[in-house]
């Protein structure tokens, strides 16, 4: 695997110095943090940006006449602009802060299916197509939306290796298709679907297109302006940022179709006893006091990724995934999911006759943090004929030595458990 090391231009020592939490012992062994698909660690630069905001500029935003409120508002709006640039938003796009991907996708599915001043976008008999690779956060809200509107939910099922195919989507699309929702990377398997092609196909058929970018923003960073994508969701804590912040970013006309789900302060322009008029975007969808410090931190995380270099990060995590997948697949009785995926940071595997929780526990004893279970994608793992799996996921700070420790750790665990 020496060639993978050569392909890696990251200065890992310098990168890891930004994440002091990585430099600790767990169960007497150096920590190998391989649970980045759940939550990444946060660099000092992000922590410092948030500390600066909380110490100097903390105040509620918008319409405060005093200096701190103005500074907080400026910080918040600067963060919004920085994140718009980060995801390649153009002049016709708008970014709405949310608490994360789940919140953003609920806003989309709820906002398109709830009654408001205009009829809901989804009507009885309409069809919603959701890919079969989705996290529950991009499936359950659509189940609810379909039920609320009397629409039909159709699933774009993956093949036996967990891949999505454009021909299958073409067969599902009809003049009644109103929505197509797909992930940029399946968190449970590490499959990176050809979402560019799928979104374009669905958009051509007249569907509103939704991309769950939660597992891509840490390295691949889908660029909105280059995609036939109406709405895209992501979370801060999966891209080196804080928890409790994320965004829904998309075409203004698509965001305008969303009925607000949170009514109250900040999202209204005028209020009478019996009715209210709502603000324009983005405030219309940001009712209540936002997590300003976290927005500042998220923008700092985007800047950090930009400084290290997206291409370098992407190449690094892909190489880690490739090495891990090859090493694990070579262990007897181990099945690596999405074996052909070459553009993700996630490797998920099942071991015949062994429960993933036992593997996870034995790895933890060796200081290796992985995730086990159904990864909030129960129907997908059922469809692939698997129960739960063990998942290792990589970020820019992981090393090839950690991947090797994972392989050896799994081998040892399986010997003990079989
Ligand atoms: N979608 C995908 C693909 C995910 O991996 C996750 C988190 N595991 C989510 C959505 C939900 O993200 P959050 O918990 O940050 O809302």
């Amino acid at each position: 695997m020496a060639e993978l090391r050569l392909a890696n231009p990251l200065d890992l020592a310098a990168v890891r110095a930004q994440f002091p939490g990585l430099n600790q012992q767990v169960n007497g062994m150096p920590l190998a943090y391989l649970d980045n698909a759940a939550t990444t660690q946060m660099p000092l630069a992000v922590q410092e940006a948030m500390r600066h905001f909380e110490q100097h500029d903390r105040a509620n935003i918008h319409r405060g006449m005093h200096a701190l409120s103005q500074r907080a508002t400026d910080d918040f709006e600067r963060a919004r602009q920085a994140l718009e640039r980060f995801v390649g938003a153009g002049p016709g796009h708008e970014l709405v802060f949310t608490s994360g991907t789940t919140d953003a996708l609920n806003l989309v599915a709820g906002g398109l299916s709830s009654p408001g001043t205009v009829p809901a976008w989804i009507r009885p008999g309409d069809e919603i197509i959701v890919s079969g690779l989705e996290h529950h956060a991009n499936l359950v809200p659509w189940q609810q939306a379909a039920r609320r509107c009397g629409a039909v939910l159709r699933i774009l099922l993956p093949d036996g290796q967990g891949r999505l195919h454009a021909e299958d989507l073409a067969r599902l699309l009809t003049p009644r298709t109103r929505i197509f929702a797909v992930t940029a990377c399946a968190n449970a398997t590490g499959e990176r679907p050809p979402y560019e092609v799928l979104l374009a196909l669905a958009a051509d058929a007249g569907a509103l297109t939704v991309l769950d970018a939660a597992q891509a923003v840490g390295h691949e960073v889908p660029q909105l302006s280059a995609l036939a994508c109406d709405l895209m969701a992501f979370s801060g804590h999966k891209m080196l940022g804080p928890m409790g912040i994320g965004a829904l970013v998309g075409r203004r006309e698509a965001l305008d179709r969303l009925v607000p789900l949170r009514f109250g302060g900040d999202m209204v322009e005028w209020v009478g006893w019996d009715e209210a008029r709502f603000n324009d975007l983005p405030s219309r969808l940001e009712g209540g006091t936002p997590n300003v410090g976290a927005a500042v931190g998220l923008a700092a995380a985007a800047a950090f990724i930009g400084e290290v270099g997206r291409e370098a990060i992407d190449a690094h995590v892909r190489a880690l995934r490739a090495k891990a997948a090859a090493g694990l697949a070579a262990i007897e009785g181990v099945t690596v999911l999405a074996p052909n995926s070459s553009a993700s940071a996630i490797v998920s595997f099942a071991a015949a006759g062994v429960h993933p929780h036992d593997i996870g526990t034995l790895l933890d004893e060796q200081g290796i943090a992985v995730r086990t279970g159904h990864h909030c994608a129960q129907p997908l793992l059922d469809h692939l004929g698997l129960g739960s799996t063990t998942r290792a996921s990589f970020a820019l700070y992981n090393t090839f030595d950690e991947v090797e420790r994972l392989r050896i750790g799994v081998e040892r665990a399986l010997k003990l458990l079989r």
Side-chain angles (χ1 to χ4, degrees):
M1 293 289 165
E3 71 281 8
L4 292 177
R5 284 170 191 270
L6 292 176
N8 165 27
L10 287 187
D11 179 349
L12 277 187
V15 167
R16 287 178 71 88
Q18 272 282 320
F19 298 86
L22 294 172
N23 187 20
Q24 62 174 297
Q25 304 258 313
V26 169
N27 293 321
M29 299 289 285
L31 168 66
Y33 186 79
L34 306 181
D35 192 20
N36 296 287
T39 288
T40 52
Q41 298 297 316
M42 207 161 71
L44 290 173
V46 172
Q47 296 175 42
E48 173 52 26
M50 292 169 72
R51 192 196 58 77
H52 185 274
F53 169 80
E54 300 296 354
Q55 240 172 44
H56 297 276
D57 296 351
R58 182 182 167 90
N60 213 323
I61 55 168
H62 297 152
R63 287 179 302 284
M65 281 299 121
H66 60 87
L68 262 61
S69 174
Q70 194 49 56
R71 289 213 300 261
T73 304
D74 291 346
D75 290 343
F76 191 58
E77 295 307 327
R78 254 199 310 271
R80 192 192 305 279
Q81 286 165 13
L83 289 161
E84 283 172 349
R85 283 194 298 275
F86 179 69
V87 297
H93 290 119
E94 197 84 54
L95 184 141
V96 173
F97 281 110
T98 65
S99 72
T101 305
T102 304
D103 192 28
L105 293 170
N106 273 276
L107 174 55
V108 175
L112 292 171
S113 61
S114 300
T117 45
V118 289
W121 169 252
I122 307 169
R123 301 155 310 189
D126 279 349
E127 293 163 9
I128 299 168
I129 304 177
V130 173
S131 112
L133 300 188
E134 302 310 304
H135 185 281
H136 296 161
N138 202 19
L139 170 62
V140 181
W142 296 114
Q143 295 173 347
Q144 296 297 315
R147 204 161 293 164
R148 202 175 291 132
C149 296
V152 181
L153 181 62
R154 300 205 188 285
I155 306 296
L156 172 63
L157 285 174
D159 66 17
Q161 292 200 24
R163 292 173 298 202
L164 298 179
H165 297 284
E167 310 85 77
D168 294 336
L169 177 60
R171 271 192 291 275
L172 280 183
L173 289 164
T174 77
R176 294 306 307 259
T177 308
R178 215 51 179 152
I179 310 277
F180 172 62
V182 68
T183 187
C185 180
N187 70 302
T189 66
E191 176 67 14
R192 190 274 196 208
Y195 61 80
E196 299 93 331
V197 176
L198 300 175
L199 290 168
L201 202 58
D204 275 352
L208 192 143
T209 55
V210 181
L211 183 66
D212 173 352
Q215 290 300 345
V217 277
H219 55 99
E220 185 186 312
V221 201
Q223 294 298 289
L224 253 194
S225 295
L227 293 172
C229 177
D230 289 305
L231 297 165
M232 179 170 111
F234 62 96
S235 295
H237 69 105
K238 294 183 197 288
M239 52 166 281
L240 315 178
M243 295 179 178
I245 189 82
L248 176 65
V249 55
R251 287 199 308 116
R252 200 166 288 126
E253 303 90 82
L255 288 164
D256 272 332
R257 291 204 179 101
L258 304 183
V259 173
L261 303 183
R262 249 185 2 240
F263 300 94
D266 252 353
M267 54 79 65
V268 281
E269 182 195 84
W270 168 89
V271 181
W273 287 124
D274 297 322
E275 57 177 340
R277 220 175 21 245
F278 306 143
N279 250 329
D280 288 336
L281 288 168
S283 306
R284 195 171 68 82
L285 298 173
E286 290 180 344
T289 300
N291 193 344
V292 182
V296 168
L298 182 50
F304 183 84
I305 289 171
E307 268 164 41
V308 176
R310 290 176 198 188
E311 288 78 17
I313 295 171
D314 198 33
H316 181 63
V317 295
R318 285 180 190 216
L320 292 168
R321 199 270 180 193
K323 180 177 163 76
L328 291 166
I331 301 173
E332 208 192 312
V334 168
T335 305
V336 170
L337 282 74
N340 300 311
S341 174
S342 59
S344 97
I346 295 170
V347 64
S348 191
F349 65 94
V354 177
H355 200 283
H357 290 343
D358 295 330
I359 299 175
T361 305
L362 289 174
L363 288 176
D364 183 54
E365 281 177 11
Q366 298 167 51
I368 302 168
V370 296
R371 189 148 292 249
T372 62
H374 53 63
H375 316 293
C376 298
Q378 260 172 336
L380 169 61
L381 293 181
D382 285 349
H383 174 74
L384 295 174
L386 301 160
S388 47
T389 72
T390 307
R391 181 184 79 183
S393 49
F394 308 107
L396 72 170
Y397 40 68
N398 288 123
T399 67
F400 291 95
D401 288 341
E402 289 174 328
V403 172
E404 184 59 5
R405 279 180 61 201
L406 170 72
R407 187 189 66 74
I408 293 168
V410 171
E411 220 166 33
R412 257 192 223 144
L414 294 184
K415 262 194 203 120
L416 269 172
L417 294 166
R418 276 183 176 145

